[in-house]
Amino acid sequence: MSREKLPFVLMRGGTSKGVFLKEEDVPSDRAKLTDLLLDLFGSPDRRQIDGLGGADKLTSKAAIIGPPSRGGTDVDYLFGQVGTVRPEVDYNLNCGNLTAAVGVYAIEEGFVAPVEGTTVVRVHTVNTNRVVRVEVPVKQGRPVTVGNAQIGGVPGTGAPISLDFAEAVGSITGTLLPTGNVLDLLDVPGVGHVEASIVDGPNLAVYVHHSSLGMSGVESPDEIDSNEELKARMDAIRKVVAYRCGLREYWDSRLAPSTPMLIVLSGPQSYRTCTQSDLVAAESFDLVVRQYASGSASKTLAGTLTATTGVACRLPGSLPHRLIAANDARRGGTTLTFGHPSGVINVDADLESAGFKVRRLVVIRTARRLAEGSAFLKRPF
C-alpha cells in the first residue's frame, strides 16, 4: 500500500540542521530512498520552496536512524546530503555535526536507554562503516539541551555534547594517508603544480595553502561562490585527488561530488564572520580554514573535517602541521582552534607518533529537537 505521509523529526546538530527519519519508515533501496528524499526536501530547487529543505547545504541534510547492524554499537545512522539545485543525494560522506543530534535522537526515541548524568551512544555511521562515540548529558531521563557551550555559527548556548572520532579515521579510503605521503605535489590541469596534504580522517580532505589559489585566505563564502574561475580551480584540484584516491567512478557519476573536501588554509589573520560580521581576532585561533565541496563554500567547518584537520595538524611534515607549528608550541596541550567563516571551532587531537595511532579526537557540539510531525509527499512511495 502506498503512503503519502511520512513521520519526521527536525533536529539541529552543531551548525547543521537535518530531517530525521526512522529506517523502518523509508525504502531500503537507495534509488527509491533518493527519490523520496528529493521529494521530501523539495529538490531540485535553490529555495526548496516546496519541501522541508533549508536552501543551504548545511540545512539540506537527512539522517536515517535504525537499530544497530554492527556489533558494539547502539544505533545505525545513514546520512544523506540532499542536493539543492541538482537532483541527487550524496551518501559518500558523513556529517559530524548531525552526529551530535543522532545521540540526542537515539535517547529520545528509545534506541538507547538513558543513563543519568552522561549517556554514551556508540553511533555506527553506515555511510563510512565507522563508529563515533557520542556523550550526551542527561537529567531525569532526558537529554539536556540547556547549557553554557557556545559554538561559532549557532546563536546562544547549549549543553555540550562530546563527539570522539578516534575510531572513525580512514572513513572514505580505509587509510589515514591515501597516497602514503603527508605532503604531495599535485600536477593539476589548468592550475599547475600544487602542494597538498591528503588526509582521510572522519572525512577525506585535501589541504592547500591559500597562495596556491591566489586567495587571501579569509574570503567569505559569498566571495568564493561568486568567483567561478576560482571554483573551477578548486574543483580541478579535487578531481585530481579523487582520481588518485580511487574515487574516479564516484566523481564521474556525480554532478556535484561532495568528496574529497577541499580545505584552504592560512596562518592566523583577523577577519569578520559571514553571519553577524563579528570580529574573529587572529590571536584566538591556530589556523584559518575555508571549506569547499559540491559546488559551493561552506559557512562553517564540518565537525568531521574539524576532526580530520586536528589529525592533519599532528602529522609532522604535513601542510597543516607546518602552519600551526609556531602556535602549537606556544599554546601547548592537545586542543587546536580553527577559524571558519562563522566563528571558531575546537578539537582535542591526540595521536601516538608511532604509526599515527589516534588516541583521542574530540569535538564539542550542541544539539536539540526543533520540530516533529508528518510530511506530505507529492509522490506516494
Side-chain angles (χ1 to χ4, degrees):
M1 181 177 177
S2 64
R3 297 171 54 188
E4 297 178 349
K5 283 174 57 176
L6 182 65
F8 77 95
V9 174
L10 185 66
M11 304 280 295
R12 178 189 62 79
T15 52
S16 293
K17 189 161 56 177
V19 177
F20 278 58
L21 307 168
K22 288 185 177 177
E23 181 183 273
E24 65 190 42
D25 292 330
V26 300
S28 58
D29 179 80
R30 287 287 174 89
K32 293 180 180 178
L33 176 61
T34 294
D35 288 342
L36 183 150
L37 292 178
L38 292 173
D39 183 353
L40 178 66
F41 279 71
S43 294
D45 172 37
R46 191 174 297 280
R47 293 193 301 152
Q48 294 178 316
I49 194 65
D50 203 25
L52 299 185
D56 184 278
K57 64 182 178 182
L58 294 179
T59 53
S60 187
K61 301 184 175 189
I64 316 299
I65 310 299
S69 61
R70 173 171 172 161
T73 63
D74 300 301
V75 67
D76 272 8
Y77 160 41
L78 174 67
F79 170 68
Q81 181 68 60
V82 183
T84 52
V85 298
R86 298 175 178 86
E88 57 188 11
V89 179
D90 202 331
Y91 304 100
N92 200 47
L93 71 165
N94 182 39
C95 177
N97 274 291
L98 277 194
T99 307
V102 173
V104 174
Y105 180 89
I107 298 168
E108 292 179 338
E109 294 295 320
F111 287 97
V112 178
V115 176
E116 198 68 10
T118 300
T119 300
V120 175
V121 182
R122 290 181 58 81
V123 178
H124 171 218
T125 58
V126 176
N127 308 62
T128 58
N129 194 29
R130 292 296 189 268
V131 178
V132 181
R133 177 187 170 94
V134 183
E135 295 185 2
V136 182
V138 169
K139 185 175 182 180
Q140 297 180 346
R142 296 184 59 82
V144 178
T145 58
V146 177
N148 296 319
Q150 199 281 327
I151 57 178
V154 179
T157 60
I161 297 171
S162 171
L163 308 177
D164 192 342
F165 294 96
E167 297 180 58
V169 171
S171 287
I172 305 300
T173 66
T175 183
L176 178 63
L177 296 171
T179 66
N181 307 313
V182 293
L183 194 66
D184 287 283
L185 187 63
L186 306 176
D187 186 6
V188 182
V191 179
H193 289 95
V194 177
E195 195 175 50
S197 289
I198 303 164
V199 181
D200 188 5
N203 255 331
L204 178 61
V206 50
Y207 297 93
V208 300
H209 193 264
H210 65 90
S211 61
S212 297
L213 289 161
M215 297 172 61
S216 69
V218 292
E219 284 85 353
S220 70
D222 285 346
E223 288 175 315
I224 294 172
D225 289 348
S226 64
N227 190 332
E228 294 298 328
E229 183 181 348
L230 172 60
K231 291 196 296 181
R233 295 198 302 272
M234 289 176 157
D235 281 327
I237 294 171
R238 296 175 61 229
K239 180 178 180 179
V240 166
V241 173
Y243 277 30
R244 183 171 293 194
C245 291
L247 300 173
R248 178 190 290 261
E249 183 178 351
Y250 159 78
W251 181 276
D252 290 345
S253 69
R254 312 297 299 185
L255 296 172
S258 298
T259 307
M261 306 279 189
L262 181 70
I263 308 294
V264 181
L265 300 175
S266 167
Q269 51 178 317
S270 298
Y271 63 93
R272 292 193 175 275
T273 65
C274 67
T275 49
Q276 301 296 325
S277 196
D278 296 327
L279 178 67
V280 184
E283 59 269 20
S284 66
F285 57 86
D286 299 286
L287 276 179
V288 177
V289 291
R290 293 295 184 261
Q291 174 186 331
Y292 173 85
S294 57
S296 63
S298 177
K299 296 178 177 65
T300 63
L301 180 64
T304 52
L305 289 171
T306 300
T308 302
T309 306
V311 173
C313 287
R314 300 302 185 206
L315 301 176
S318 73
L319 181 58
H321 181 271
R322 193 167 70 199
L323 288 172
I324 65 104
N327 280 342
D328 198 33
R330 175 171 56 83
R331 295 178 189 275
T334 58
T335 300
L336 295 162
T337 304
F338 308 129
H340 59 77
S342 296
V344 299
I345 189 169
N346 302 314
V347 59
D348 183 1
D350 187 18
L351 276 66
E352 292 179 6
S353 56
F356 297 139
K357 177 177 173 56
V358 179
R359 288 185 289 225
R360 181 173 168 83
L361 193 55
V362 173
V363 178
I364 301 297
R365 302 281 79 189
T366 62
R368 71 184 186 96
R369 180 179 293 229
L370 301 176
E372 59 185 23
S374 294
F376 296 89
L377 303 170
K378 289 186 291 186
R379 297 177 295 277
F381 70 101

